[in-house]
Amino acid sequence: MSLAKKGCDHEHAQSLQIIHIKERSHWAALQLVKSDIYLFDSLFSSASEETLELIAQLIKTVERFLSINIMNVHKQTGTADCALFAIAAVTCLLLKDPTTVVFDQKELRLHLVKILETNLISLFPTLKSRWPVDRISKVQQCQVYCTCHLDSCYPLIVQQHKEFCFFLLLCLDVWTSTLAFLEAYL
């Protein structure tokens, strides 16, 4: 597919993902710019534990914790159009900031059909611009359990404290130092 509007800001399109949250039977958009994570959710104002775990599984990092920026986007009416809003948000991220628009919910479905038929991506219809006081409505933290996210990696919980979990990461070259650490504390 080609962009209908030239000049896509590739810095803001570094990594875009539409995620499905099974527990809520819901779709949302995710953006990763360098080490910053942004969640665009048209229905909920905070991320559930399942959403945070899903994001932690998708992001490859050496950090123990991730900060998820919950973006202040216009909320949809009803519960049936979240996938359309997620697609609209990802498309919008290619062209502009989704926190500054109010999508025309009645036109989203027809516009998606048009995109699929013409093979041209264009901004989904909007009713008006909006200028929220804060682009980020809240920041939520989640713990990362494994830094590699390889299918062959099965981290084992060895010891858990209030804020930190220690794992044996069999897939990394830290086996010897991890084993020495564990032997000293077990």
Side-chain angles (χ1 to χ4, degrees):
M1 290 188 174
S2 62
L3 290 174
K5 181 178 177 183
K6 298 293 181 191
C8 171
D9 186 356
H10 293 288
E11 178 71 18
H12 295 289
Q14 185 175 355
S15 179
L16 301 173
Q17 174 94 29
I18 295 173
I19 59 172
H20 181 247
I21 302 106
K22 290 180 187 177
E23 150 199 294
R24 292 182 168 183
S25 188
H26 179 59
W27 298 88
L30 191 65
Q31 178 189 35
L32 175 65
V33 179
K34 297 184 180 167
S35 62
D36 297 322
I37 303 164
Y38 303 96
L39 180 66
F40 297 84
D41 192 322
S42 63
L43 190 58
F44 298 104
S45 297
S46 62
S48 67
E49 275 303 311
E50 182 190 9
T51 304
L52 295 174
E53 288 173 15
L54 176 63
I55 293 169
Q57 290 171 6
L58 291 171
I59 306 300
K60 193 170 186 177
T61 181
V62 295
E63 301 297 324
R64 287 185 189 212
F65 294 92
L66 294 176
S67 293
I68 314 298
N69 298 294
I70 312 298
M71 302 306 290
N72 185 359
V73 293
H74 177 75
K75 300 301 181 199
Q76 68 188 60
T77 302
T79 60
D81 291 336
C82 55
L84 291 168
F85 272 87
I87 295 168
V90 165
T91 303
C92 193
L93 283 164
L94 295 171
L95 306 169
K96 65 188 302 183
D97 180 359
T99 65
T100 64
V101 299
V102 175
F103 290 111
D104 185 350
Q105 189 167 348
K106 294 178 184 175
E107 297 296 321
L108 294 180
R109 197 172 306 307
L110 291 173
H111 188 77
L112 179 59
V113 170
K114 178 183 169 189
I115 287 173
L116 295 172
E117 288 176 347
T118 64
N119 214 21
L120 291 172
I121 297 175
S122 59
L123 185 63
F124 278 71
T126 59
L127 294 173
K128 61 182 178 180
S129 294
R130 64 188 288 267
W131 303 104
V133 175
D134 296 311
R135 288 184 60 240
I136 299 171
S137 61
K138 77 166 52 168
V139 178
Q140 287 183 252
Q141 302 286 321
C142 69
Q143 188 171 9
V144 178
Y145 295 100
C146 177
T147 59
C148 75
H149 298 286
L150 296 174
D151 292 337
S152 61
C153 174
Y154 299 100
L156 304 171
I157 299 176
V158 176
Q159 185 176 1
Q160 185 170 345
H161 297 283
K162 282 186 179 178
E163 294 184 27
F164 297 103
C165 290
F166 296 96
F167 295 90
L168 292 174
L169 300 178
L170 303 175
C171 58
L172 299 176
D173 290 329
V174 296
W175 174 256
T176 306
S177 60
T178 302
L179 190 56
F181 172 83
L182 294 173
E183 287 175 346
Y185 289 96
L186 293 179

